[in-house]
Amino acid sequence: MTRHFLYPSTMFAASQPAEVTTILGSCVAVCLWDKYLGIGGINHYMLPTWNGMELASPKYGNIAIERLVEKMLSLGSKKNNLVAKVFGGGEVISATTPVMHIGERNIMVAEEMLDEYNIPIISRSTGGKNGRKIIFNTHTGEVLHGFIKNSMNK
């Protein structure tokens, strides 16, 4: 099995088994898994929605989720065979205004878009004050998950 570290603003999907690790704070990772084909994909986005001005990249949740679904379909998955697991969106930085609640807004984008695609969220660990480390097995759909203590939130 190959191992891959997923950096922010990127995604990974493969038909061959892989173990993908990423670290999340206010960022969100959506893991998609096709239980019939045993394939999976994951993204790691930093901001909720693309502003239409910069490059439309997986840095933004709406772009990252759309591209991940497209990639899974290109690997042979059918939308109705996909399930999702959602992680991250912690408020690891003190927000001074409601508009700054990036983690909360990142979670909302995942929930809304997956609902639009009719992809059920079967597992999640979102919000809170701490970051997370996750390890996603693209072949089994299993996600190992642990919290990272935030020294700013004692």
Side-chain angles (χ1 to χ4, degrees):
M1 178 180 308
T2 63
R3 288 189 165 81
H4 182 78
F5 184 84
L6 189 69
Y7 290 95
S9 304
T10 61
M11 60 178 237
F12 178 90
S15 54
Q16 298 299 315
E19 186 178 88
V20 184
T21 301
T22 197
I23 306 292
L24 304 163
S26 60
C27 296
V28 163
V30 173
C31 303
L32 294 181
W33 186 61
D34 182 325
K35 60 185 173 191
Y36 295 103
L37 297 180
I39 62 174
I42 180 175
N43 61 27
H44 178 154
Y45 61 89
M46 300 170 67
L47 298 169
T49 54
W50 178 48
N51 61 11
M53 305 223 287
E54 299 173 6
L55 180 65
S57 79
K59 173 181 181 179
Y60 304 99
N62 60 328
I63 304 299
I65 294 167
E66 177 183 10
R67 289 196 181 158
L68 182 58
V69 170
E70 288 171 358
K71 181 64 176 176
M72 292 296 291
L73 297 178
S74 78
L75 292 172
S77 290
K78 295 178 183 167
K79 249 192 267 183
N80 60 345
N81 291 343
L82 295 175
V83 293
K85 296 181 179 186
V86 180
F87 299 89
E91 292 297 337
V92 296
I93 300 171
S94 296
T96 55
T97 64
V99 107
M100 294 292 295
H101 294 286
I102 301 294
E104 185 178 307
R105 291 173 36 226
N106 280 342
I107 296 164
M108 286 176 31
V109 165
E111 292 170 342
E112 290 168 4
M113 289 196 69
L114 292 167
D115 186 54
E116 286 174 24
Y117 282 115
N118 292 315
I119 298 173
I121 299 172
I122 62 167
S123 180
R124 69 173 72 216
S125 174
T126 57
K129 299 288 184 188
N130 292 313
R132 292 164 173 83
K133 176 181 178 181
I134 64 169
I135 302 170
F136 175 51
N137 182 317
T138 63
H139 182 64
T140 66
E142 180 182 37
V143 179
L144 301 176
H145 149 279
F147 289 102
I148 300 169
K149 185 170 171 65
N150 183 349
S151 63
M152 293 191 58
N153 297 314
K154 295 181 179 181

